[in-house]
Amino acid sequence: MRRLLFYILMLSCSLSVWGQSKDGAIIRSDTLKSGKSLKLIGIPVIFSTPETGFGFGGGGQLFITGESNTFGVRKSNILFTGIYTANSQIVLQALPQVYFGEGDYYLDGSYEFRIYPNKFWGIGNNTPDTNEENYDMTSHKLRVDFLKRLPPSLNFGMRFNYEYHELTEVEEGGLLDSGDIPGSEGAIIVGLGAIFNLDTRDQVEDPKGGYYVNFNAQFSSKNFGATYGYNRFITDLRAYYPLGEKGLLAARIYVENNYGDVPFQSKAQFGGGNMARGYFQGRFIDDQMYVLTAEYRWRFHPRWSLAAFGLMGEVSGINQEFFNNPKFSTGGGVRFKILKKQNTLVRLDVGIGEAGNSGFYFGVNQAF
């Protein structure tokens, strides 16, 4: 039963594995094949979010174990996963991370293919529930970051981004069917960006202290073949303060700003298990967004802990409209450290928002 439970809990949560695996949401299971320079590890995947329902799948992670660099356990690798959800969503993803030389330079990339039924309520901070409509979209997303590392904590570099979104089905007579919503006829997004981050956390899965400071700027340009031209700026600030021997206060400030002709696929999305628990991811979308989150974590056992959080945030067409009608959410949950000598944990959270919005989230590692 203990081995069965271990494999059931082997997951790589949808939000973390789908685009945030660089935050460490990888659970390593049995080694499938190992040699002097390569090591292949199997990764079962299960999760649950309001956006997907129950989801399952699997994949693997291939490590180049023969290399050595100044960052020790950080090895070049490629993570690949495939998942299917109760909402008939299919996601295939490959995430390479390649270190060059002594590790002073590295490539961090992702490719994702999605067949993804989803929901849409319109654009703005006050869209009514009666606007809800379903749509299906097929997407290809490619991101390539080339970064310079300055030990021990600083990273900076450039990003190339390509996205292709095709709406395959929309509700007749709905908002997306009208053709008035940017991106409702599909979207191609192509552009470059710049990245800067400072990371002093002791670990990424379940930090016990330190700071994470991330700034990135990117654009989509019709000169590169994009159908929409716009600029995006993201600020992501996180801090972790120990409170006694068992407590920790974690805080996060996230701000996203988009300027220009922004399709709905690229607008800031309020909600989701990592950003704004208690709201469906994308329940409110617009060009600008902020989310402020505080969470208290209490470890009452070496492998068990509890958490309680509160957050506020909103979306808007312009920053000057912020704080006019913020959305609030509270909640909490339990975390379990799967292995004594591994930091990876599983998380079960409930978030309760306003106006009947709520959600249960089963995934990997802390929300931030």
Side-chain angles (χ1 to χ4, degrees):
M1 288 299 297
R2 180 176 290 182
R3 178 175 290 273
L4 176 61
L5 178 62
F6 174 77
Y7 278 104
I8 291 177
L9 293 177
M10 287 292 102
L11 35 96
S12 179
C13 114
S14 60
L15 297 176
S16 294
V17 168
W18 306 350
Q20 295 194 27
S21 62
K22 62 183 179 182
D23 285 344
I26 298 170
I27 293 184
R28 304 176 183 180
S29 62
D30 287 350
T31 298
L32 301 181
K33 185 176 182 181
S34 181
K36 291 184 178 180
S37 59
L38 297 176
K39 185 177 183 180
L40 180 62
I41 294 173
I43 303 176
V45 178
I46 59 172
F47 57 90
S48 178
T49 73
E51 300 82 35
T52 63
F54 176 78
F56 66 93
Q61 190 169 21
L62 180 66
F63 288 89
I64 302 177
T65 58
E67 70 176 10
S68 62
N69 57 55
T70 58
F71 301 100
V73 298
R74 298 173 188 249
K75 303 292 185 181
S76 294
N77 69 91
I78 179 170
L79 169 69
F80 49 93
T81 57
I83 64 98
Y84 181 80
T85 77
N87 292 339
S88 301
Q89 297 150 332
I90 298 173
V91 179
L92 305 176
Q93 190 178 57
L95 301 162
Q97 234 181 20
V98 181
Y99 293 89
F100 300 97
E102 295 299 316
D104 292 333
Y105 296 88
Y106 76 101
L107 182 147
D108 182 15
S110 72
Y111 169 74
E112 182 174 279
F113 170 73
R114 285 190 177 202
I115 299 175
Y116 207 83
N118 208 343
K119 296 181 181 295
F120 182 74
W121 286 266
I123 296 171
N125 196 49
N126 300 300
T127 53
D129 292 337
T130 54
N131 274 12
E132 179 182 331
E133 60 185 62
N134 297 313
Y135 70 95
D136 293 354
M137 187 165 68
T138 298
S139 301
H140 298 267
K141 301 173 68 174
L142 173 67
R143 174 186 57 80
V144 180
D145 296 344
F146 188 74
L147 300 168
K148 165 68 175 176
R149 296 185 58 87
L150 296 178
S153 308
L154 183 64
N155 306 272
F156 64 91
M158 300 294 294
R159 166 175 294 178
F160 171 76
N161 187 62
Y162 171 85
E163 299 179 21
Y164 174 83
H165 303 285
E166 178 186 7
L167 273 73
T168 56
E169 186 175 352
V170 299
E171 286 193 10
E172 184 176 354
L175 294 169
L176 293 174
D177 189 40
S178 70
D180 296 332
I181 304 295
S184 60
E185 297 182 354
I188 298 174
I189 299 161
V190 190
L192 300 175
I195 306 167
F196 169 91
N197 69 64
L198 178 68
D199 190 354
T200 67
R201 296 172 295 179
D202 59 329
Q203 53 172 295
V204 296
E205 298 89 351
D206 183 21
K208 301 299 189 299
Y211 300 90
Y212 175 78
V213 177
N214 178 70
F215 301 101
N216 75 68
Q218 51 189 296
F219 67 87
S220 177
S221 174
K222 293 183 179 180
N223 293 329
F224 289 179
T227 53
Y228 294 90
Y230 64 93
N231 299 316
R232 172 183 293 159
F233 303 92
I234 292 177
T235 301
D236 189 355
L237 311 177
R238 311 178 195 182
Y240 306 87
Y241 302 97
L243 299 176
E245 295 183 359
K246 298 183 179 181
L248 181 91
L249 177 63
R252 183 184 191 185
I253 300 173
Y254 179 91
V255 181
E256 181 174 338
N257 305 107
N258 295 282
Y259 302 97
D261 188 16
V262 188
F264 82 90
Q265 294 93 337
S266 293
K267 290 183 183 290
Q269 298 188 355
F270 185 81
N274 289 341
M275 184 59 64
R277 287 161 285 179
Y279 294 87
F280 189 99
Q281 184 174 10
R283 173 59 186 87
F284 302 100
I285 68 172
D286 213 325
D287 291 342
Q288 322 295 328
M289 181 178 75
Y290 74 88
V291 182
L292 312 178
T293 308
E295 181 168 292
Y296 177 72
R297 301 168 184 171
W298 179 56
R299 187 173 301 279
F300 64 90
H301 182 274
R303 297 175 68 179
W304 289 92
S305 61
L306 298 174
F309 71 87
L311 65 86
M312 66 175 288
E314 61 187 309
V315 299
S316 174
I318 57 176
N319 291 338
Q320 288 81 352
E321 295 179 353
F322 277 164
F323 306 108
N324 284 342
N325 186 23
K327 314 298 182 186
F328 295 89
S329 175
T330 60
V334 62
R335 289 92 171 94
F336 175 68
K337 188 177 180 180
I338 297 175
L339 300 174
K340 292 181 179 180
K341 295 183 179 180
Q342 188 180 40
N343 296 319
T344 304
L345 52 83
V346 290
R347 168 171 58 97
L348 176 62
D349 274 342
V350 59
I352 302 173
E354 299 178 332
N357 289 284
S358 63
F360 286 91
Y361 305 89
F362 177 47
V364 167
N365 297 331
Q366 301 288 1
F368 64 93

